[in-house]
Amino acid sequence: MRSTLSKIAAFVTSGALALTLAACGSDSGSTTTLRVGTLSDAPPSIYLENGRFTGYDNELLRDIAKREGFEVEFVGTEFAGLLAGVANGKFDIGSSTISSTEARKKTVAFSNGYNTGFTTVVTAKGANLKDPAAFAGKRLGVVQGSVQDEFAGKTAGAQVVRFPDYNAGFAQLKNGTLDGWVVPQDIGQKYLDQNPAVPLELGYTIEDKDTPSAFAVAKKNADLLNKLNDGLAKAVADGTVARIYAQFYRTTPLSKELQQGGPGLPVKNVGV
């Protein structure tokens, strides 16, 4: 009886090991597919076009995945729950122009940065929201949980109105129920370009220079973090980052650190 049980235990153990190797893509020829949480309405960085998730962030991630031997499956989500979803394993990677702030590093780990950007306030023409001092008493729309949400919340006297996505806030701005819509500058400019008949303009703008955009992973997933950093470094070195960036950003220059042969944008994580 004991011998029979030992054989069963050995069989179960070997089967579990085989499944583990297969899941990692080892010895089986299979490729691991990772779930990526992203948004569908924030061009040119992250958006849905003809049923396909694309944009600078997502096309760059596809290139990194190919270099590092895994595949990606993009899943649309709301930004407010994205980092929690990465931390608890719902998503393997977060790809959504996520600024690598110190507060967010307490929840997830970040790859090295692949973009820098600016925060701007989109307003009706002539609204004169050129300075934070003018925001008192104004209704400012933001995507909940974003860096722009944090910025608007720190502005004295502003009435912050939170939305689950960019389209919802932009619709409210167009119909006049918001005084300003606080967004990444490239996204704000894209909306203006796509809606030339709407009398809107960019107001106050500030550079997000200390918190580059980066891919988010669970803190415990050091192996995936290393793969992302390795693939990104190779994409910077051979000019792929510059090439993909140029496809989506026609007027905003790429950071010198991310141009071919540049040093990249290192991100220092907390507790990783």
Side-chain angles (χ1 to χ4, degrees):
M1 182 67 172
R2 183 175 298 174
S3 175
T4 300
L5 291 174
S6 297
K7 290 179 180 179
I8 293 173
F11 176 78
V12 171
T13 301
S14 63
L17 178 59
L19 287 173
T20 300
L21 291 174
C24 295
S26 302
D27 299 335
S28 64
S30 64
T31 302
T32 302
T33 299
L34 303 182
R35 285 171 58 87
V36 181
T38 189
L39 274 66
S40 61
D41 63 343
S45 305
I46 37 178
Y47 61 100
L48 193 63
E49 183 175 64
N50 298 323
R52 182 178 187 273
F53 285 100
T54 185
Y56 169 63
D57 300 43
N58 291 338
E59 296 303 337
L60 176 57
L61 183 56
R62 282 191 174 97
D63 179 85
I64 292 172
K66 185 176 180 180
R67 293 173 188 268
E68 298 298 317
F70 61 89
E71 295 181 352
V72 286
E73 174 192 1
F74 291 96
V75 181
T77 187
E78 293 181 0
F79 189 85
L82 177 55
L83 295 186
V86 171
N88 66 26
K90 180 180 179 180
F91 305 116
D92 298 292
I93 304 171
S95 173
S96 186
T97 314
I98 309 170
S99 297
S100 51
T101 66
E102 294 303 311
R104 290 172 176 172
K105 290 176 184 177
K106 296 177 182 178
T107 302
V108 297
F110 286 102
S111 70
N112 289 331
Y114 57 80
N115 199 7
T116 59
F118 296 79
T119 286
T120 193
V121 182
V122 183
T123 70
K125 287 187 176 179
N128 198 32
L129 295 185
K130 304 290 186 180
D131 188 279
F135 296 168
K138 303 296 184 181
R139 286 171 56 84
L140 301 181
V142 298
V143 169
Q144 184 175 357
S146 66
V147 168
Q148 290 74 35
D149 186 351
E150 182 179 349
F151 164 78
K154 292 179 179 178
T155 304
Q159 300 177 30
V160 182
V161 185
R162 295 175 173 85
F163 297 92
D165 55 46
Y166 290 97
N167 284 335
F170 188 65
Q172 294 297 311
L173 178 65
K174 287 197 296 183
N175 68 27
T177 57
L178 291 177
D179 297 299
W181 178 227
V182 190
V183 295
Q185 184 185 38
D186 55 283
I187 294 174
Q189 186 62 58
K190 190 73 173 182
Y191 272 110
L192 266 60
D193 293 343
Q194 293 177 339
N195 298 271
V198 183
L200 300 173
E201 64 182 2
L202 301 185
Y204 177 75
T205 300
I206 184 172
E207 185 175 6
D208 308 322
K209 58 184 178 180
D210 297 323
T211 55
S213 299
F215 299 115
V217 302
K219 286 192 172 189
K220 63 183 180 182
N221 205 340
D223 180 63
L224 178 55
L225 184 64
N226 290 336
K227 287 181 182 294
L228 291 174
N229 285 337
D230 180 68
L232 177 59
K234 291 173 180 175
V236 172
D238 68 12
T240 299
V241 166
R243 175 179 58 79
I244 296 176
Y245 186 89
Q247 292 177 9
F248 295 96
Y249 296 86
R250 303 307 175 95
T251 59
T252 307
L254 178 65
S255 168
K256 291 181 178 179
E257 290 84 354
L258 294 169
Q259 294 176 16
Q260 185 168 1
L265 293 168
V267 169
K268 185 177 181 180
N269 286 292
V270 177
V272 177

